[in-house]
Amino acid sequence: VPVARVAGVTREQFLRDIYPRRKPVVLKGMELGTCTTKWTVDYLSQAEGSKEVKIHVSAVPQMDFLSKNFVYRTLPFDVFVQRAAEVKHKEYFLSEDEKYYLRSVGEDARKDIADIRKQFPILAEDVQIPEYFEKEQFFSSVFRISSAGLQLWTHYDVMDNFLIQVTGKKRVFLYSPRDAPYLYLSGTKSEVLDVDNPDLEKYPLFVKAKRYQCFLEAGDVLFIPALWFHNVISEEFGVALNVFWKHLPAECYDKSDTYGNKDPTAASRAIQILDRALKTLEELPEEYRDFYARRMVLRIQEKAYRDD
């Protein structure tokens, strides 16, 4: 299913007509500042110089966060940009056609959120972030650079976000939160890596997941509502910026969350309670356990599922 594309949307129109529907939309023709024309490989390299950045390096295009089929390495920013823009490398860590991925982090990656204004202040001056949310809702602005061909694993975030494609092209697949039962989840991530050619013997239910798709070009902004799964492929070397903001009241989120992907505290508590309930069921013989488990599932559906 193609994701809807709309051009020239004002903040008021977004908040009135698009935001309440809670569906992904590509926003075109937004005013993003000079970054869309200025951010060439040479300009990026000289603008932020040789400060060290921590990057993902992968020998294969499909990165897997569950099996960790990549390594973390550190490079000066200018060297990293040049290497990420190449297809074949003279200098490399794993192989001459390895892929690079930068996801900016805060000064202390465990405690501080990513904010382009703090980590890349010179580049931040070139960007006009569409603030279609209140100042106090802002959570993070994550600067991203990817090699051509790199594919990120399917995952969800617990906050709403804009994926701003500054340069380069991306293909994005999205899945509704309703299709979580078909995505073979491990935490916030799907085990199905190759969404174009899934192993249906291993993941037979995956065919039931309805796939939404869009192509992002330089200057496009994709609105990804919280809990929507997304899988991103960089068709060419590109630079992007994610802006996350809090859709729920601030107290709903885990205070220790620096990446915007820890479940809301009430959800985490509910899952812990469910795990305790399942442990309690183990005190019963199998036949009884099966019967009461089915009753519990019905009760959850009746009480918590939306009926639209």
Side-chain angles (χ1 to χ4, degrees):
V1 181
V3 172
R5 307 172 79 84
V6 292
V9 174
T10 65
R11 184 180 195 268
E12 290 67 33
Q13 287 169 322
F14 176 78
L15 293 174
R16 185 188 66 223
D17 304 329
I18 296 172
Y19 197 44
R21 296 179 62 204
R22 314 296 300 152
K23 288 222 170 133
V25 173
V26 177
L27 306 169
K28 297 192 73 66
M30 296 183 78
E31 186 45 66
L32 300 172
T34 55
C35 55
T36 49
T37 50
K38 257 172 111 170
W39 284 7
T40 61
V41 171
D42 290 341
Y43 174 77
L44 289 167
S45 301
Q46 67 190 40
E48 293 287 351
S50 58
K51 71 156 123 204
E52 301 262 289
V53 286
K54 190 177 181 184
I55 54 170
H56 301 67
V57 183
S58 174
V60 294
Q62 268 171 355
M63 288 177 67
D64 179 1
F65 198 83
L66 295 172
S67 72
K68 295 281 198 297
N69 68 344
F70 52 84
V71 294
Y72 291 104
R73 292 290 182 265
T74 304
L75 279 176
F77 182 73
D78 50 0
V79 175
F80 156 70
V81 170
Q82 297 287 343
R83 281 214 213 168
E86 305 168 340
V87 178
K88 286 266 187 280
H89 313 293
K90 287 193 175 70
E91 292 184 46
Y92 50 83
F93 296 108
L94 306 172
S95 68
E96 63 174 9
D97 52 1
E98 65 193 13
K99 306 290 182 192
Y100 296 89
Y101 171 55
L102 166 71
R103 184 243 189 251
S104 66
V105 292
E107 284 70 22
D108 179 335
R110 284 167 312 185
K111 291 189 200 148
D112 302 323
I113 54 146
D115 185 341
I116 190 173
R117 292 166 297 192
K118 291 178 184 164
Q119 285 100 43
F120 299 92
I122 296 162
L123 294 177
E125 287 176 18
D126 301 334
V127 185
Q128 190 177 314
I129 291 173
E131 293 194 356
Y132 284 21
F133 46 89
E134 299 302 324
K135 284 260 190 289
E136 61 274 12
Q137 287 178 284
F138 171 81
F139 176 71
S140 65
S141 50
V142 181
F143 184 62
R144 300 180 191 270
I145 296 182
S146 308
S147 291
L150 186 85
Q151 181 172 13
L152 287 183
W153 53 91
T154 304
H155 67 285
Y156 71 88
D157 300 294
V158 299
M159 294 184 197
D160 291 343
N161 83 85
F162 281 147
L163 170 54
I164 302 165
Q165 192 62 29
V166 181
T167 70
K169 291 179 181 167
K170 280 201 174 88
R171 183 159 55 120
V172 186
F173 298 130
L174 301 113
Y175 301 92
S176 160
R178 299 278 178 100
D179 283 345
Y182 315 131
L183 297 179
Y184 298 87
L185 296 184
S186 176
T188 61
K189 300 158 191 76
S190 167
E191 290 178 18
V192 186
L193 282 188
D194 192 344
V195 291
D196 278 321
N197 299 290
D199 180 343
L200 294 178
E201 281 193 10
K202 198 172 179 187
Y203 308 115
L205 295 176
F206 186 70
V207 289
K208 293 188 174 189
K210 184 176 175 180
R211 180 161 99 172
Y212 294 77
Q213 175 175 297
C214 63
F215 291 92
L216 298 182
E217 299 189 344
D220 287 350
V221 177
L222 172 61
F223 166 52
I224 306 176
L227 311 182
W228 273 77
F229 295 87
H230 44 287
N231 178 294
V232 181
I233 301 166
S234 295
E235 299 276 337
E236 42 189 45
F237 166 78
V239 185
L241 183 66
N242 268 115
V243 185
F244 291 89
W245 69 91
K246 296 170 184 172
H247 170 232
L248 307 175
E251 62 273 13
C252 296
Y253 298 100
D254 187 320
K255 295 282 184 290
S256 68
D257 188 3
T258 51
Y259 292 94
N261 61 5
K262 286 192 178 178
D263 292 315
T265 48
S268 298
R269 284 205 313 277
I271 289 166
Q272 285 169 359
I273 293 164
L274 175 63
D275 286 341
R276 285 206 298 277
L278 292 169
K279 192 97 184 106
T280 309
L281 277 188
E282 287 174 18
E283 295 170 22
L284 293 166
E286 189 180 26
E287 181 188 356
Y288 285 77
R289 192 164 67 231
D290 179 275
F291 173 68
Y292 287 104
R294 287 171 194 274
R295 282 189 58 190
M296 285 165 70
V297 168
L298 288 172
R299 191 139 170 200
I300 289 172
Q301 287 179 331
E302 184 190 312
K303 292 279 187 189
Y305 276 31
R306 287 168 64 169
D307 51 16
D308 57 346

